[in-house]
Amino acid sequence: QLQLQESGPGLVKPSETLSLICTVSGGSISTRSNHWGWIRQPPGKGLEWIGSVYYSGSNYYNPSLRSRVVISIDTSKNQFSLQLSSVTAADTALYYCARDVRGKGRNMVRGVISEYNYYYMDVWGKGTTVTVTS
Amino acid sequence: QSVLTQPPSESGTPGQGVTISCSGSTSNIGRNTVNWYQQLPGTAPELLIYSNNQRPSGVPDRFSGSKSGTSASLAISGLQSEDEADYYCAAWDDSLNGYVFGTGSRVTVL
């Protein structure tokens, strides 16, 4: 059974870089149909997608965070990581990693077959809290 | 900032049904499939519905999803106390080239 586990410092100083690792167990991080993503949730607020990475190293970032985010992957360790630079108190949140599944599906409507793209995050880690404080 | 809009809360008594709406735009719900996540208090979100109306293994059929145009809905029938949670819709946004989440809806069982 696939499991994900976040790890990293719980406290980060303002203007420094937040670094987290997600360790994947029970499956290979190199599976072609999977990307791997980071999501965060500030205290008492909703979910925000940070970005995702493919086993080849290609990635997608939230435009609002792109200038500060780097997500990388280490297939030899079955891990992927998040670095968020120049942090402020607004980056205080619960950070989750997740498997990001993408592909193409087909359905039939009134006898016509059409293709569609699907995207979803189906397995999540338990999350790790990061507090930005001096 | 959430791009998908949900009502802040919904409630019902045990056995009743509730429906949560999720409003988006042509670049997200209008073009891509919708997912729903359930977040029980103090836990990580769990995938409840994917590809508009598909349930992962283990999710009761009391939960169902639908999509029409740029909006989607999650219906919970036969409400149970363990359904008290926050529910989030999500979709891929072609303009942002990334995922967008809904604002979240808290379901309370009275």
Side-chain angles (χ1 to χ4, degrees):
Chain A
Q1 183 181 355
L2 191 74
Q3 292 186 314
L4 284 72
Q5 176 71 56
E6 306 87 350
S7 60
L11 295 176
V12 182
K13 289 183 167 53
S15 79
E16 294 191 345
T17 296
L18 176 162
S19 296
L20 296 175
I21 290 174
C22 181
T23 300
V24 178
S25 59
S28 172
I29 205 169
S30 300
T31 305
R32 290 196 173 193
S33 58
N34 298 335
H35 286 68
W36 304 91
W38 288 97
I39 307 94
R40 70 179 182 178
Q41 186 172 34
K45 295 189 178 180
L47 301 168
E48 179 182 35
W49 173 75
I50 299 170
S52 297
V53 64
Y54 193 44
Y55 80 94
S56 63
S58 61
N59 41 41
Y60 303 78
Y61 295 140
N62 187 322
S64 68
L65 298 170
R66 180 175 288 129
S67 63
R68 299 193 292 131
V69 172
V70 174
I71 297 176
S72 55
I73 194 163
D74 187 337
T75 55
S76 67
K77 295 182 179 178
N78 233 33
Q79 295 176 333
F80 62 105
S81 63
L82 167 69
Q83 289 190 303
L84 181 65
S85 62
S86 304
V87 297
T88 68
D91 296 309
T92 293
L94 192 52
Y95 285 76
Y96 297 102
C97 59
R99 181 171 70 175
D100 176 353
V101 179
R102 304 181 186 190
K104 285 190 182 295
R106 287 183 175 183
N107 56 22
M108 182 178 291
V109 178
R110 299 189 190 92
V112 178
I113 296 176
S114 61
E115 277 196 345
Y116 62 91
N117 295 321
Y118 60 80
Y119 308 79
Y120 57 86
M121 289 178 280
D122 66 339
V123 181
W124 294 56
K126 288 181 167 46
T128 187
T129 297
V130 178
T131 303
V132 179
T133 179
S134 55
Chain B
Q1 287 160 313
S2 298
V3 174
L4 307 181
T5 303
Q6 301 177 231
S9 62
E10 297 287 352
S11 62
T13 56
Q16 275 189 332
V18 296
T19 298
I20 302 169
S21 62
C22 174
S23 177
S25 66
T26 52
S27 63
N28 41 67
I29 295 178
R31 289 188 193 148
N32 296 301
T33 58
V34 177
N35 311 310
W36 290 89
Y37 297 89
Q38 178 192 59
Q39 187 174 32
L40 297 169
T43 69
E46 288 190 8
L47 183 65
L48 193 65
I49 297 285
Y50 67 98
S51 296
N52 301 331
N53 54 21
Q54 301 299 301
R55 285 185 303 276
S57 175
V59 173
D61 59 7
R62 302 186 293 103
F63 296 92
S64 62
S66 63
K67 184 185 108 166
S68 178
T70 59
S71 295
S73 294
L74 172 71
I76 310 173
S77 63
L79 204 57
Q80 299 182 6
S81 58
E82 57 260 39
D83 298 334
E84 277 207 343
D86 292 326
Y87 293 84
Y88 294 90
C89 59
W92 185 263
D93 189 296
D94 287 344
S95 295
L96 299 176
N97 209 25
Y99 283 101
V100 288
F101 283 95
T103 47
S105 299
R106 177 155 296 179
V107 168
T108 302
V109 182
L110 302 171

